[in-house]
Amino acid sequence: MIKRILQHFAARVLTAGLSFAVVWLTARYLGAAGRGQVSLFVTDVSGLALLAGLVGGSSLIYLVPRRNVWLLLLPAYGWGALVSLGGAAVVGLLRPVGLAYVLHLGAVTLVQVLLSINVFLLLGRQRERTYNVLTTAQAGLLAVALAVAFGPWRWLSIEAYYCANYMAYGLPWLISTALLLRLPDAWGSRRIRRRAAARELARHSRGAHLSNLLAFANYRFSYYAVVYLADTRALGILSVGVALAEAIWLIPRSTALIQYVALVNAPDKREQTHAALRGSRLTLLATAVAVLVLGAVPAGWLAAIFGPEFGAAHGVIMALAPGIFINGAGMQASTYFAGTGQYGINNRATLLGLAVTVPACLVLVPQLGIVGAALSMSASYAAGVLYLVGRYRRAIEATWVDILPGWADVRWLWQRLVPHT
């Protein structure tokens, strides 16, 4: 498993690097206000994509090892199209964003949702290498399209970002569809089986995905708070700090995803979980190191890399650092409960975090601005993870020594990374 985690982690590192390039390009060429517009669009797309996951999402990974791919894909596609297009229309009614924004929001969300459905189905069939290639290609295509638009074409507007997304998600979607057609699953199925599969998918997705929706509210409520209590320029600076800090999560997310796939395919869930504990501890150790390294980056470097306006992102990173580390531990516990179908525990942990972040943002953002928003996020993560890890320890009958990294893990890692004579 550690080998598979390292392979997946390498792909996620490359993807994170390409995502960093996108952040840099939009910040450098569009400025803080333009970067704020991009962040708000991405947040809207992410919210609608999560709603689309109420019939689909990560539950596809859980169900596809035992179900026909096409019985799951068709209802997921139908719901995804409905939410993408209908949700964009609702956003247009709630905010004065204009018709062009609504059309781009609906179209970009739809192609992103269709791609995510395809790659989740492939991942559930343990096509991990294919999943890594497609997700990396998507990030690479977006970065290349923006580099061409902003560089040789000098197309310095938010519309360039919208159009780059069509290529970045559309081409991998076509490739992933061709790969699904090569699976041995029979296309034709009786209607009663299709209905039963759709109901099962909806039932599992509601429980599994509610925590994702609540987590999204935790992660991004501060964005909307900053937009309404400050402006898009402040959101642009906040988004750069958050993007850099949350890039560290590629470490625990890589481990969590591989462990989730292994867990849902394992006949003995408890044995599989205990076998994965060392990988979880090493993941948390690597997360701590990454947080310390990022915190050591001075504000002057951020201003030199992203532009003079973005030096203030250093304060965001420092305020977010404790929450980034704490939530890294929570991801491992959350994976266990999702993989064993105990979605209620994840939902309660996320609700607890949301109960902290909303009042904290409303109090701290007017007082401290974007730093207050980051502090609110850290407090939210801490509240939810304390509950989640406590339940996790009791569920697997583990001690803190089993969960938290120690000197034994450092020695184990040192012996394998440093050649000895």
Side-chain angles (χ1 to χ4, degrees):
M1 178 176 287
I2 290 178
K3 180 180 178 181
R4 290 163 60 202
I5 288 171
L6 290 175
Q7 291 172 343
H8 185 70
F9 175 68
R12 294 297 290 266
V13 168
L14 179 56
T15 302
L18 293 167
S19 298
F20 174 82
V22 171
V23 173
W24 179 81
L25 286 165
T26 52
R28 196 75 185 181
Y29 284 95
L30 300 180
R35 175 62 203 171
Q37 289 180 300
V38 168
S39 300
L40 193 58
F41 180 78
V42 170
T43 304
D44 286 340
V45 169
S46 299
L48 293 179
L50 283 170
L51 287 173
L54 285 172
V55 180
S58 60
S59 290
L60 293 168
I61 303 174
Y62 183 84
L63 292 173
V64 77
R66 297 169 294 278
R67 299 290 182 271
N68 185 295
V69 163
W70 306 108
L71 292 177
L72 299 174
L73 180 140
L74 294 177
Y77 265 29
W79 175 254
L82 178 64
V83 170
S84 299
L85 303 179
V90 171
V91 170
L93 294 174
L94 295 177
R95 295 209 316 266
V97 292
L99 179 60
Y101 183 94
V102 171
L103 294 176
H104 285 303
L105 178 60
V108 170
T109 302
L110 178 60
V111 69
Q112 179 176 324
V113 166
L114 298 184
L115 174 61
S116 68
I117 291 169
N118 285 9
V119 297
F120 278 147
L121 289 170
L122 291 168
L123 183 59
R125 289 293 176 87
Q126 296 187 299
R127 305 305 202 270
E128 293 165 6
R129 183 174 298 179
T130 300
Y131 172 88
N132 291 332
V133 169
L134 288 172
T135 53
T136 304
Q138 178 270 313
L141 287 169
L142 182 58
V144 169
L146 287 175
V148 172
F150 292 157
W153 291 358
R154 305 302 298 172
W155 189 8
L156 305 180
S157 72
I158 187 66
E159 284 74 17
Y161 181 81
Y162 299 154
C163 293
N165 275 272
Y166 295 126
M167 182 180 75
Y169 289 104
L171 184 57
W173 172 69
L174 291 174
I175 295 172
S176 62
T177 301
L179 293 173
L180 287 175
L181 289 170
R182 296 176 62 183
L183 293 177
D185 299 61
W187 172 263
S189 298
R190 289 182 300 174
R191 180 171 298 181
I192 188 170
R193 292 179 60 196
R194 293 199 298 268
R195 290 177 178 176
R199 287 195 296 268
E200 183 182 29
L201 178 60
R203 184 176 67 254
H204 277 276
S205 298
R206 284 195 298 270
H209 215 64
L210 178 59
S211 61
N212 292 334
L213 286 168
L214 295 172
F216 171 78
N218 267 342
Y219 297 161
R220 294 297 176 258
F221 178 82
S222 60
Y223 276 31
Y224 292 109
V226 168
V227 165
Y228 285 103
L229 298 174
D231 52 33
T232 54
R233 177 184 175 277
L235 175 59
I237 297 170
L238 173 67
S239 70
V240 167
V242 170
L244 291 172
E246 290 185 354
I248 293 172
W249 282 343
L250 71 90
I251 302 171
R253 279 176 174 162
S254 297
T255 303
L257 185 59
I258 297 301
Q259 290 181 348
Y260 177 76
V261 173
L263 191 61
V264 298
N265 285 279
D268 189 333
K269 309 296 186 186
R270 184 178 294 273
E271 181 180 348
Q272 175 63 38
T273 300
H274 279 276
L277 281 175
R278 168 165 280 169
S280 297
R281 293 196 302 270
L282 294 175
T283 297
L284 197 56
L285 181 65
T287 302
V289 172
V291 168
L292 292 174
V293 170
L294 181 60
V297 175
W301 288 16
L302 297 176
I305 294 171
F306 294 99
E309 297 174 287
F310 293 96
H314 182 264
V316 172
I317 292 171
M318 297 304 294
L320 262 179
I324 294 296
F325 171 74
I326 291 169
N327 207 38
M331 289 179 186
Q332 309 306 307
S334 177
T335 296
Y336 171 79
F337 293 119
T340 55
Q342 301 179 66
Y343 306 121
I345 295 174
N346 287 342
N347 293 343
R348 287 191 290 274
T350 316
L351 270 174
L352 179 60
L354 185 59
V356 171
T357 195
V358 171
C361 277
L362 296 178
V363 171
L364 295 179
V365 171
Q367 300 295 323
L368 302 175
I370 56 178
V371 173
L375 288 172
S376 302
M377 295 166 73
S378 283
S380 169
Y381 301 152
V385 169
L386 285 174
Y387 170 78
L388 195 62
V389 173
R391 293 296 301 266
Y392 179 60
R393 284 182 58 237
R394 292 195 293 273
I396 66 172
E397 298 178 353
T399 66
W400 286 109
V401 174
D402 296 322
I403 294 175
L404 297 177
W407 285 113
D409 298 300
V410 175
R411 287 195 299 270
W412 185 91
L413 189 61
W414 178 265
Q415 291 170 358
R416 282 152 181 80
L417 293 179
V418 179
H420 295 274
T421 57

